[in-house]
Structures are given as structure tokens and as C-alpha cells.
Amino acid sequence: MARKEPRTLTMEIDHRTVTFPEGVTVHRAAELNGIDIPSLCSHKDLSPFGGCRLCMVEIEGMRGYPLSCSTVAEEGMKVLTDTATLRDLRREILKLILSEHPSSCLVCEEREACKDYQGTIRKAGVTTGCRFCPNDRQCELQDLVEKIGVTEIDFPIDYHGYDPEHDDPFYDRDYNVCILCGRCVRMCQEVRGTSVLAFTYRGPKAKIGPAFGRSHAEAGCEFCGACVDVCPTGALADKASKWEGKPDGSLVSTCPFCALGCQIELFHKNGRLTGARAFLDPEVNDGQLCVKGRFCMPEVTHHFERARRPMLQKGRYFREVSWEEALERAARELKDISPDDFVMLVSPDLSNESLFAAQKFARQCIGTNNIDSTARMELAGALELWSRLFSLPISIKDIARADTILAVGLDSRFNFSVVGTKVRKALASGAKLVTIDSRDSNLARYTDDWLAPHPGKEGAVLRIFAEALAGRKVDIRAAAEVGIDAEQLERSLAVMASGHELVVIIGPRVFHYSDGYASGDALVTLAGTQKTNIIPLYFGANSRGALELGVFSEVGPGGAETGQEGSGWAEVLSHSKRPKVLYCIGDVAFRERPDCDFLIFQDIYLPPFSVDVFLPAASFAETGGTLINIEGRVQEVVQVESLPEGAVTGFMRPDWKILADITKSLGSQALDYSSAADVRKDIAAAIPGFPAEADRRPRKMKPLGRLPAATAGAGELEDGNFWLVAEPGGYRHRGIDIASKVGGLCELALEEGFRMHPRDIEMLGLLDGDNVRMTWEGGRMGATVGVKADPECPRGAICFTKRLILGGVKVSPELRPLLGLRQNPIRVRIVRAEG
Amino acid sequence: MPHILRNGPEWYAASGTETSKGTKTFSLVGKVRRTGLIEVPMGITLREVVFDIGGGTLKPFKAVQTGGPSGGCLSEEFLDTPIDYEHLAEAGSIMGSGGLIVIDADTCIVDTAKYFLGFTQKESCGKCVPCRVGTRHMVKLLEKICDGRGELADLDKLEKLGRTIKNSSLCGLGATAPNPALTSLKYFRSEFIAHVKDRRCPAVVCKNLVNYRVIPGKCTGCQRCVSVCPTGAITGPRSEPHNLDRTKCIKCRSCYEICRFDAIAGDAIVIES
């Protein structure tokens, strides 16, 4: 929809004639003309609040002192922003705020000396002044005090005396310093759409928090950190970077934790990464983030278990060695190796440069096609299917513009929460939402049209929708087969058909069912018949990069088909082939040491099993690189840390560089790279049309040609009383699940264990936490597991999160058979466990 | 309403003043002989309402508080003010919902201001800084003054704070909450100064500033007060002047009232400041 450009009007501010676009507030009009009217509660992304009263101005013809933040600027207005009365009023109001806000430091005579010598240290648990506040020198209140000029607070000081709140993960809350500006409440309500925070109580006892005294986690907080970003004081502060102090600077980068590729602002101090904030990028994330990108970066980069030196298995000991020694040992094994005895596994979280270098290493240096990646499992169904999905015009930005949204199998509370926020934004503008999910999701409560089929049947319903929207006749009775009311289905179909701008968002779970291929196929057909924005979500930040750069035996750079077979994950997991050398770059989909003679492992953390050579890789903050997001945008991950190698920093090197060094040691010129730019040049040469720089334009992939054999549908109805549903999940990043490194994610631990609906647990005569005996394949396979009550779980199902990446995760041996199941969901028999 | 419909708007407009037409209902309460709901034409003077309709006060008249907790206390000099929107606003008060509280010499004006401000403070929604924080400071200042800990500078602080709150509050509650305090300061400044400089409450109400005393010459020992004293501060046998123990006295006024109205002596107990 084309929007009319607003007219330009004129007014007078402080006797100066200025212009402004129609419709803005006086405050914004002044800001656009370089006049800064003080305010604390107003924010350009939020609706006006009018609580702090600092932005008062004098407007000719209006009595009293109207607020500039909530008065619309009009043609010919005459505004004064800085009269003596206004200055006086602002000073008084600021003094009132300070009388409640621990801030004696601002007016103490010793403050200059204290900054350097901290002569007035207090050991109180509550902040008693700016010097001990996490926001010191980054505080809007502090800045205003200096600007407006308050030198003494002549009201009696009376702090609230609240206990600081440390119970929820990721950020602390100290409401003693809260000035009740309401920005966090408005951000959560208006921009995020989750409304977790509200004003509780009233008057002088007013306090911010979730309603009814619930904890943030209980209230549905997504821990996106948007509230922390807008808080003008230190009331809300990141736990991880709270006491780092004011950062030295920041750089805009791309978040490396998932395929959305949100733009993020990384802060650094003394050369180290300290924290992250959302960057207001209108293309992808529009100023929003999820818990991973917002809070987990520092801990993932700096965890004490970070492996920083090359290591070698020397006899009985696994020791730290120099790069020369490690590289020499690796080269010794690889020299003269028969190409078929080598297998390479690469993580889909690696940068484009590293992925390209890896496949070139395997193909040109070693001469083999035995290269694979867990991207193959993340792009569930078939690689060829996903190449077709990636040939569609996928747009995250346009979700907010849609007028009808179909969300299938998606819970966006922690993973992909930016997508969820955009859905809510569209709903706020009047869009209609239909969800198809056997389990309750965080989006289901925003719609009347939540279709809940039997567990595992979301794909079947999606296919019905795809057929209907493509204009084909649909047999409504098919609804009953999957457990949906026919009338409800018809209604929802009508809702979807009534839209003009459609978006279909499919969560990863749907592709991981046995009928995932058929679902993906239906989506492509739908895209072919109707202009629809289709967003197929998957894990693995650069899985699309893995596909486009060709790190699979049958797919080469640019999606070119090699026409050759090769060994990869299937062989490794089934132990059907034992390679001489296995070179694994951060792809840890096994719990124990894989079957091979010699294991070269390259990653940022050590794996949970023994390796022969460990090569420490630089993480995303320590080296630059590019990633391809779900829309095909090539985006840059920026290097934030460039501390010199040494005992403290370590000796990590970028993945592509390590490969280049090994190649040189083997006497080959195949990987002649001295910088990431060199690799990019090589990529552009190898793949025609690939952007030479990270230009962030959305792109479409050329689909692979070959059609694979159709996979079987969900298993024949075996005997059983429950469906066992494996849901993809976990928070993968290279070889680890970051929940093992980030305390906050462990605390959330919402998807742990085996989950059943409380009524089903009751029906079995059990209590939450009891054990059940689960058998399948006619009783030949079985496991005893403890079950957790989960009211979001569908009836008749037992669900568990099947993590792909197991670094840092402990899996009990009894559960191993579950990790290798072929069908999903499968029928199991569940009885109470004995004993 | 039925009358207006029957007789037409001109009939209604015939009473009242040029700018405030018609009649207004008021709630006349306080220290007047006759209290109740009244309907009077706009423009009638305060004197007529208080003394003619209300029957005047028993003790000397002090002030009329109009408009409830958002209004102001108007002193004797305003008794001839016509009651309409403009004149009341000019005087610093408001019409409000039509409350007229008559105050006599027995009511402490500082205490009244503190009472009203305490009410508006409790009712504050808490959204804007001036009302939420400012009125709390005003209440604290008034408590300080009533407690006998006030200083002369506090009076200026009250005025400045009151003006700030009036000018910058978000809604009418904040904008008018300081009115009782500001008008009392303006028209009864001497009472405030007595509290602050002399530590004295002229209306002998503020507990920390008064003491109760039995006048031995007048007390007949009728024991009326002894039977109502909740703490046993007044003691003494029949027919002998009673003793009042100040350390036990909680200044509840029970003995004073009963002596005045029900005892033989009638004026044996005094409250002094």
C-alpha cells in the first residue's frame, strides 16, 4: 500500500521558524530541528505517556504548560521551550524525582574524588547512589540532572526500600531506582505485544511488574530485553554485563544464533565484548531480538570452559600444544590419505567463508566428496525440497504487513521470537491469524481460530490449507481423520481465503515429522499458485549458507549438483563406515566419540568425548564473517574483539584460516587465503551471481533439480496408547547447546524431559515427576522415563525435545535409542513403571 | 429538570448571575446550626448561606471551605462574595461538587489543610511525578508543622511546591490538591506562623502543641471526666478537684467535652497551647 507523504508545515519554536512533517508531536518537531526538550518518559517508538512532566512548553493560545510529547504540532504554532518559568518547574520536578531515587552522589560535594578513590564505599545491598548503580554514566536521569542543573535536593529523601529482584534470569530489577516512566510497560505492550509488565498498585505505592505478583517467567516473558533497552535508569540491568561500566563503543553486527539474522549492536570495553542490544534495522528485526541474541553473547564467548589452545592426544595425555605442532600432526595424518578414507563434517553455524573453505579443502585438497553437515537434519525432509523453498521470496519484514497469517507448529516464545513479535504487530493492525498446532503455543491465545489436530498431524492440515488456497477442491471430511472439527476447518479456511496479503509461517517441528517432505512440497505448490509470503523456519544459523555453498556430498557450491555420492552423517551415525580421518568442525550430533581412526576436532569448546587433535576456533565476536539468513540476505558478522594472542586471550584462529594453514602444510595451493576478503573473492568466482560484499539484499536460490524418492508417511498404526512426538529444539551454536553455558537458559529449562498433559498423567494414576515405562516396535524397544506435567502438551501424546547438538548436554544411555528413531511421531505403549 | 422543561430555559436563566445562570445545589455542613442540602440561585453570598440559611456558627466563624478536598478555605473577608464559578476561582477556590464546610474557631486550619491533602495524596493515581511525589512532600511538611517541628522556611517550601504541582500536574486532582493548603496559607498565615514560631495551635487541636489542664478552683469533683478517660489520666476522689496526669493524656478531648456539656462545673478543664 502506498502511503501518502505527509505535508510539511511551519511553526515557530523559540522565535525560530522551523518546518516539520504533519502529524508529529511538538517534541518530535523540535527534535527534528535540533532543539532538545528534556524528557524522561517519552520515547520515539512508544506512544506518549505524559508522566514525567519535564517536556512542558509554553504555547501561545494554550493555557498552562502543555506537554510537548503529547501535543500535536500544528501550522503556525508559537512555542517557547526554555523560559525561566519552565526551567524552574523542570528543576523542581527533577528534585521531586531525585527525592525518591537513590542519587545522593549527584549532589554530594565529594563526588569527583569518589569517582577516583571511592572513599565513601557502602556495603549495602541496595544501590545508594549513582557510583554504585549499574547505569552510572549511561543514565538518562544523570544526564538530565547535569543539563537542567540541580545542585541540591531540598526535599527530605525517602527511598522506597524495595528488595532488589534477582529471581528471574537474564536481568535484575531494582525498583528503588525506577522512576515509573512506564517505558518498559509500553514497550512490552505496544511493540512486543506480550503485555507482561504493568503498573501494579496505585499512587505512591505504584510499582512495575507482572500482574498478580507472578514471576516474569510465569507471566510469559520472552526475555527479549526490549524493556531493559528502553529503561532510562538502572532499574533494569543485564545480569551478565551489569558491572562492566560504560562501554567504550559499539559495532553493528548480525546475530549468529539463528537463521533470522537479526541486526544487533555489540558493545565492547577494553577490547572485550560486554553485551548486546537490538539494532533498529527496518529490514529484518526492526529493533527487536530474542533471548539468545540479546543476553547470551557474552557468556557464550567468555565462558571459562572455552578452549583457547590447540591440544594433542599424546600417549595417555591430552595436552596443550603450539599451533605448529598441532598442524604438523594433522597434516601427517592427512598426507597421502586415500580420499575415500576421509570424512568431513561441518556445522551450519559457521560463516560462509569457513563453509566454503571447508568444502574446498575436502574437494580440492583431499579430493573427496565425503563432506556433510547437520544442516541436512535441520533442513528436514530433503535438501532439494529446501532449495525449492529457498527459491521463494521469503520476507520477514513483510509479516507485519500481512492481513492474514497462518502459523503452523510455531511457538515463538524463545526461538524465533522476532517472528512472533511481527505477527503480533500485524494483529494489532487488524490482521487475522489462524494457528494449526497440536500443542498450545504462545500465539494461540491471539486467535479464535486455533486448529488442534492429533499430535503429528499439523502437516496434514497444512496440506489441506495449501490445497484450498491454491484453488483446489478440498474434502472437508478429511478434517475428522486428523482430529479437527469440520465446521471449524471451514471457518478457518474462509478466514484465510479472505485475505489479500497472506503469510504462512511454519515452525521447524512440522518439517521434522515423517511427512515433512509432503508438507514442504505443498507449500511450494501454494507459492506457485498464489502470491504468498512463505516462511519455513529451521535451526542452524547458516543452514541456508551450507546449502548454497555446497557442503554436502551431492551438492556443491552454488547449489550445483556434483552427481556423486559420498559418506557423511548417515554413515557416521550408523557406524556403517569407519573413516581413517574424521575432520569435524563444530558439528557434534553424537554423544560419544564417533567411529574413526583419527579425529580432528575444530570448535570453540571441547566436545564431550576424546579427540586426537583439537584446533581452537575463533568465535563470532573474535573474527568477522558473513552469514546467509532465511531470506537469502548475505549479512556481516563483525569482529568486535582483536586482543593480541597470548596466555589470557588464547590462540584461537578463524575456521577458514585453520583450514588454509593445514592446506599449506600439505603443500597445496588450493586455499591460498590471508583474509576473509580473499575467501569472499573466491566464493564470488566459484558461484556466479553470489554477492561480492554483504549487501543484505534478499535473494532467491536456484532449486536443485533432482527429485528424491517420496518418504513414507507417519508410521503404520502400531499398537500403542500414546504418540511419542520428537520436537526439534535446544539452542544450538556450533558444537554446543548454549544452555550449557548460559545460566539463564538453564533456569528457564522449560522444555526439559518427557512431557505429558496433566490429565493424561492423572489418567495413568501417576503424579507429576513419576516414571513410566515406554515400549515400541512390538515391545522390542523400551525406555523408562520420568514425566513432567505440561498443560501445553496435547492429549494422548508424550513429547520430548530431541536435541541434535549434544555438546554440553548429558543424555542418559537408556535414551539413546530415542535419538535414532526413524519415524516421527511413533506409536508407543505407556504404562506405569514398576518400582 | 422537570421545572426547566415545563417553564423553559429563560425561566431558569432568570435567576443566577450574568455568567453563572440558574441555581446550584450545595451541601452545607460543618459548624453551623442547620446543616443539609440546599438549592440556591447562583450569586447568593456566602454570608446569606452560612448565617441566614445555616443559622450561623456557635463559636466565632473562621472560614468556609468550598469545593471539597480540591477547593480552598475562604476567610471572613470573603463572606460577601457571591457564590459563582468566577468569583470563587478568583478567590483561589473552586465550586467543585458544591461542598460548603463551615469552620469555626475550634478547627485548626493547618490541620484541615493537612487532612484534605492527605486525602488527595491517597487518591492519587501515581502516574505523574508532581502529584505522586509532590503531594506526599506537602503532606509531610504539614505533618511536620502540626507536630511542632516546622520552620518558617517550610511555609515558603509549601507555597513553591504547591505552585509547581498546580502548574505541572497531569489531571485535575493534582492541579487542585494544593488548593486547601495554598488558600489557608494565604488567608490564615498567622495561624501557620503561630504553629511554626511559637509552637502554638490557636485552635488547640494539634495534639503535640496542646496540653490539658484541670483548673482546681473550678472543678467540683463530679467525676464525669474520670469515667470517660480512656487512659486513666484524670484521677481524683469525689468532691475534690481532680488531677490530670499529662504523661498519660492522649488528648482525645473526651474529658473536655463532657465537662463542657454534662458536668456541674462546665469549664473546669481547659486546653492550652
Side-chain angles (χ1 to χ4, degrees):
Chain A
M1 271 181 293
R3 261 193 301 178
K4 270 196 306 160
E5 279 301 312
R7 298 187 295 156
T8 308
L9 305 174
T10 28
M11 68 193 280
E12 223 181 81
I13 303 184
D14 292 337
H15 306 294
R16 226 181 79 192
T17 311
V18 295
T19 57
F20 60 94
E22 189 175 12
V24 299
T25 59
V26 172
H27 192 269
R28 182 87 182 117
E31 200 186 354
L32 287 169
N33 285 284
I35 301 171
D36 205 10
I37 304 177
S39 93
L40 277 172
C41 69
S42 79
H43 191 276
K44 61 175 167 35
D45 297 328
L46 306 172
S47 65
F49 187 62
C52 73
R53 317 304 293 177
L54 287 168
C55 67
M56 289 185 294
V57 289
E58 290 182 26
I59 302 182
E60 199 182 279
M62 282 186 154
R63 71 182 170 104
Y65 303 96
L67 298 181
S68 53
C69 71
S70 28
T71 311
V72 178
E74 284 169 27
E75 172 74 37
M77 250 185 185
K78 291 203 176 66
V79 177
L80 294 171
T81 69
D82 201 24
T83 64
T85 327
L86 287 173
R87 277 200 292 270
D88 192 48
L89 281 170
R90 287 189 193 130
R91 244 195 316 269
E92 288 301 302
I93 293 173
L94 208 49
K95 280 195 224 170
L96 284 173
I97 296 176
L98 292 175
S99 72
E100 286 194 317
H101 177 106
S103 56
S104 351
C105 288
L106 288 173
V107 298
C108 171
E109 298 99 50
E110 303 195 34
R111 64 180 178 276
E112 286 306 319
C114 191
K115 228 192 296 190
D116 296 324
Y117 307 115
Q118 297 204 324
T120 324
I121 283 241
R122 289 186 183 86
K123 290 185 179 162
V126 169
T127 52
T128 51
C130 288
R131 293 294 165 264
F132 305 99
C133 173
N135 252 34
D136 188 23
R137 296 191 300 133
Q138 304 173 68
C139 175
E140 292 187 41
L141 184 59
Q142 225 181 7
D143 294 339
L144 268 184
V145 167
E146 223 164 300
K147 186 164 164 214
I148 293 182
V150 171
T151 47
E152 54 167 15
I153 307 164
D154 46 13
F155 299 119
I157 307 284
D158 187 12
Y159 304 147
H160 291 295
Y162 297 129
D163 286 328
E165 293 171 30
H166 301 298
D167 291 336
D168 281 299
F170 300 114
Y171 61 91
D172 286 333
R173 305 183 295 278
D174 183 0
Y175 289 122
N176 292 297
V177 291
C178 171
I179 55 169
L180 293 170
C181 68
R183 279 188 191 175
C184 54
V185 177
R186 284 176 286 149
M187 173 58 92
C188 197
Q189 204 165 301
E190 295 168 17
V191 179
R192 290 298 292 202
T194 31
S195 300
V196 171
L197 299 172
F199 282 95
T200 56
Y201 304 106
R202 176 181 67 80
K205 293 203 181 44
K207 194 165 172 272
I208 306 280
F212 314 119
R214 293 203 193 112
S215 76
H216 279 52
E218 276 173 41
C221 177
E222 297 186 350
F223 295 100
C224 70
C227 56
V228 183
D229 285 356
V230 289
C231 180
T233 65
L236 301 173
D238 285 23
K239 278 192 213 239
S241 56
K242 198 163 156 171
W243 301 112
E244 303 274 6
K246 185 167 177 170
D248 293 336
S250 70
L251 290 165
V252 177
S253 181
T254 306
C255 174
F257 287 131
C258 90
L260 291 181
C262 300
Q263 296 303 287
I264 197 162
E265 201 175 346
L266 295 177
F267 295 96
H268 56 88
K269 191 171 171 104
N270 296 330
R272 277 172 101 239
L273 171 72
T274 50
R277 267 203 181 186
F279 185 70
L280 203 86
D281 168 57
E283 290 302 304
V284 180
N285 61 318
D286 209 10
Q288 297 303 316
L289 284 178
C290 78
V291 61
K292 292 177 288 185
R294 176 67 177 78
F295 290 112
C296 300
M297 295 231 179
E299 287 175 85
V300 172
T301 325
H302 298 135
H303 196 268
F304 66 85
E305 282 175 6
R306 187 75 199 280
R308 297 173 183 271
R309 292 172 184 259
M311 297 179 82
L312 266 191
Q313 186 73 34
K314 291 174 142 195
R316 298 257 289 273
Y317 299 103
F318 190 53
R319 298 209 124 113
E320 291 177 352
V321 296
S322 68
W323 270 108
E324 288 75 29
E325 205 180 328
L327 288 173
E328 190 273 334
R329 182 81 183 83
R332 200 173 349 132
E333 286 298 321
L334 291 169
K335 205 173 184 54
D336 303 328
I337 190 174
S338 158
D340 206 38
D341 282 334
F342 175 83
V343 175
M344 184 163 221
L345 300 171
V346 293
S347 163
D349 293 305
L350 300 180
S351 63
N352 292 337
E353 291 80 5
S354 304
L355 287 173
F356 184 79
Q359 64 83 32
K360 195 167 184 199
F361 175 81
R363 291 186 164 115
Q364 294 198 14
C365 184
I366 305 292
T368 176
N369 252 330
N370 294 346
I371 180 166
D372 204 358
S373 163
T374 47
R376 184 192 293 280
M377 287 91 124
E378 300 290 13
L379 299 176
L383 292 177
E384 163 277 322
L385 165 71
W386 281 88
S387 72
R388 281 190 289 142
L389 287 169
F390 290 145
S391 70
L392 304 170
I394 303 172
S395 172
I396 302 290
K397 179 166 82 161
D398 284 347
I399 299 176
R401 280 183 24 168
D403 61 11
T404 23
I405 306 174
L406 178 63
V408 188
L410 174 65
D411 184 304
S412 72
R413 187 166 171 201
F414 300 116
N415 284 316
F416 311 114
S417 80
V418 169
V419 168
T421 305
K422 290 220 187 292
V423 169
R424 284 187 292 260
K425 194 164 173 185
L427 291 176
S429 314
K432 296 209 179 46
L433 170 68
V434 172
T435 60
I436 304 172
D437 205 330
S438 58
R439 42 166 44 243
D440 197 1
S441 67
N442 73 331
L443 293 174
R445 64 180 149 116
Y446 292 98
T447 178
D448 291 327
D449 294 293
W450 166 29
L451 300 166
H454 292 319
K457 294 283 186 269
E458 287 90 337
V461 184
L462 170 62
R463 291 194 288 283
I464 298 178
F465 269 82
E467 294 282 297
L469 291 169
R472 308 213 193 103
K473 259 201 84 53
V474 185
D475 185 4
I476 290 290
R477 289 168 303 169
E481 280 170 38
V482 290
I484 294 191
D485 176 53
E487 210 184 293
Q488 200 190 11
L489 176 62
E490 273 209 52
R491 220 180 32 234
S492 308
L493 282 172
V495 167
M496 288 304 297
S498 68
H500 301 285
E501 299 248 9
L502 244 72
V503 67
V504 181
I505 312 173
I506 308 95
R509 186 169 13 117
V510 178
F511 295 108
H512 280 77
Y513 291 142
S514 296
D515 62 351
Y517 185 88
S519 306
D521 215 15
L523 286 170
V524 181
T525 319
L526 169 61
T529 55
Q530 193 190 101
K531 182 171 143 1
T532 311
N533 185 6
I534 296 191
I535 303 180
L537 295 169
Y538 54 90
F539 292 115
N542 207 11
S543 295
R544 180 160 172 166
L547 188 54
E548 291 200 27
L549 293 164
V551 295
F552 306 99
S553 43
E554 71 271 36
V555 182
E561 292 173 56
T562 62
Q564 296 188 31
E565 304 256 312
S567 310
W569 273 111
E571 287 70 27
V572 170
L573 287 174
S574 65
H575 305 281
S576 63
K577 180 189 160 104
R578 184 189 167 90
K580 268 227 175 101
V581 177
L582 179 62
Y583 192 150
C584 179
I585 308 186
D587 218 14
V588 182
F590 27 63
R591 246 259 76 233
E592 51 202 8
R593 183 190 159 105
D595 220 7
C596 63
D597 291 345
F598 193 81
L599 177 56
I600 304 175
F601 190 83
Q602 181 173 314
D603 198 21
I604 58 179
Y605 287 94
L606 281 168
F609 42 78
S610 70
V611 303
D612 295 300
V613 180
F614 175 79
L615 305 169
S619 79
F620 55 83
E622 296 150 356
T623 180
T626 54
L627 298 170
I628 305 181
N629 85 336
I630 186 178
E631 301 162 303
R633 293 180 206 260
V634 177
Q635 306 191 118
E636 198 183 348
V637 177
V638 168
Q639 181 173 354
V640 173
E641 299 187 0
S642 2
L643 297 166
E645 274 191 351
V648 173
T649 316
F651 297 87
M652 300 84 74
R653 290 184 184 173
D655 296 288
W656 57 263
K657 179 98 179 35
I658 301 174
L659 288 161
D661 289 344
I662 295 186
T663 314
K664 267 198 206 73
S665 306
L666 291 173
S668 160
Q669 295 302 311
L671 267 65
D672 189 15
Y673 305 134
S674 49
S675 73
D678 287 345
V679 189
R680 282 196 281 275
K681 259 206 273 300
D682 210 8
I683 301 179
I687 305 177
F690 198 86
E693 287 304 316
D695 59 11
R696 302 195 61 218
R697 273 182 313 109
R699 294 159 44 248
K700 293 191 232 178
M701 186 176 174
K702 199 161 75 70
L704 297 170
R706 206 168 32 116
L707 285 161
T711 50
E716 318 87 49
L717 213 56
E718 264 198 41
D719 183 36
N721 52 354
F722 280 88
W723 285 105
L724 173 67
V725 183
E727 299 169 352
Y731 306 106
R732 66 169 299 159
H733 181 66
R734 300 188 61 134
I736 52 155
D737 184 313
I738 62 176
S740 65
K741 302 287 173 283
V742 179
L745 285 176
C746 270
E747 279 182 54
L748 288 176
L750 295 170
E751 349 139 313
E752 297 305 318
F754 288 78
R755 306 179 299 281
M756 291 176 76
H757 194 276
R759 295 289 303 283
D760 284 337
I761 298 182
E762 214 183 290
M763 204 182 67
L764 288 167
L766 290 169
L767 296 171
D768 186 4
D770 281 349
N771 285 348
V772 296
R773 180 81 194 145
M774 191 166 58
T775 53
W776 62 97
E777 276 188 34
R780 273 191 321 248
M781 307 287 287
T784 305
V785 300
V787 289
K788 201 169 97 149
D790 177 3
E792 289 181 6
C793 203
R795 295 294 306 270
I798 178 165
C799 306
F800 76 105
T801 304
K802 187 169 161 187
R803 277 182 169 71
L804 189 54
I805 297 302
L806 299 172
V809 176
K810 291 218 179 331
V811 181
S812 97
E814 213 193 354
L815 298 178
R816 296 236 196 97
L818 285 166
L819 300 176
L821 286 172
R822 299 237 148 235
Q823 306 281 14
N824 182 32
I826 64 166
R827 221 51 195 139
V828 295
R829 175 151 290 283
I830 294 194
V831 293
R832 301 165 65 132
E834 308 307 315
Chain B
M1 277 312 293
H3 299 289
I4 299 179
L5 290 172
R6 204 178 291 135
N7 300 322
E10 297 78 21
W11 165 84
Y12 187 72
S15 48
T17 66
E18 194 47 54
T19 44
S20 302
K21 299 244 172 262
T23 59
K24 177 87 176 81
T25 49
F26 289 98
S27 158
L28 182 62
V29 293
K31 303 291 185 69
V32 278
R33 283 199 172 81
R34 291 188 289 271
T35 62
L37 296 168
I38 60 176
E39 183 176 356
V40 289
M42 291 279 214
I44 190 172
T45 62
L46 279 168
R47 189 184 296 277
E48 285 178 79
V49 172
V50 174
F51 290 98
D52 294 345
I53 303 177
T57 58
L58 280 168
K59 291 279 180 88
F61 171 87
K62 191 186 256 185
V64 178
Q65 212 275 348
T66 71
S70 309
C73 301
L74 302 176
S75 60
E76 214 175 334
E77 64 192 89
F78 289 94
L79 275 175
D80 292 306
T81 314
I83 305 182
D84 64 25
Y85 292 100
E86 294 71 28
H87 283 95
L88 286 180
E90 241 179 74
S93 184
I94 58 170
M95 183 87 80
S97 46
L100 289 173
I101 306 177
V102 181
I103 295 174
D104 67 6
D106 262 1
T107 317
C108 174
I109 207 87
V110 187
D111 187 61
T112 310
K114 182 182 75 159
Y115 169 76
F116 282 126
L117 209 54
F119 171 78
T120 37
Q121 220 282 298
K122 273 215 219 26
E123 293 300 309
S124 165
C125 81
K127 182 168 174 179
C128 75
V129 172
C131 177
R132 181 180 78 235
V133 191
T135 52
R136 193 159 65 86
H137 282 300
M138 281 188 85
V139 170
K140 281 218 160 72
L141 280 167
L142 286 168
E143 280 173 0
K144 212 175 140 197
I145 294 173
C146 285
D147 262 357
R149 295 177 286 120
E151 294 148 16
L152 213 51
D154 289 341
L155 302 185
D156 296 319
K157 270 194 201 162
L158 271 172
E159 283 180 324
K160 178 149 184 151
L161 193 46
R163 276 200 310 272
T164 305
I165 299 173
K166 267 182 90 72
N167 281 327
S168 54
S169 284
L170 194 149
C171 79
L173 185 103
T176 55
N179 281 352
L182 288 179
T183 49
S184 326
L185 264 173
K186 195 160 151 198
Y187 304 127
F188 298 96
R189 203 180 178 86
S190 53
E191 242 184 279
F192 279 85
I193 296 195
H195 278 76
V196 161
K197 262 174 88 183
D198 308 328
R199 301 281 185 268
R200 194 175 62 87
C201 176
V204 292
V205 166
C206 297
K207 290 199 171 145
N208 270 14
L209 303 179
V210 301
N211 281 308
Y212 286 50
R213 189 165 68 89
V214 178
I215 303 179
K218 298 207 169 153
C219 176
T220 60
C222 72
Q223 300 222 309
R224 290 278 193 283
C225 55
V226 178
S227 56
V228 295
C229 179
T231 58
I234 288 201
T235 49
R238 249 202 138 76
S239 305
E240 277 184 41
H242 298 315
N243 288 314
L244 196 148
D245 184 352
R246 281 188 182 174
T247 61
K248 287 192 183 158
C249 176
I250 58 168
K251 299 161 193 176
C252 67
R253 272 180 105 95
S254 310
C255 56
Y256 177 73
E257 300 291 331
I258 206 158
C259 189
R260 274 209 304 182
F261 294 110
D262 203 27
I264 299 174
D267 57 357
I269 300 185
V270 289
I271 313 178
E272 295 167 334
S273 188

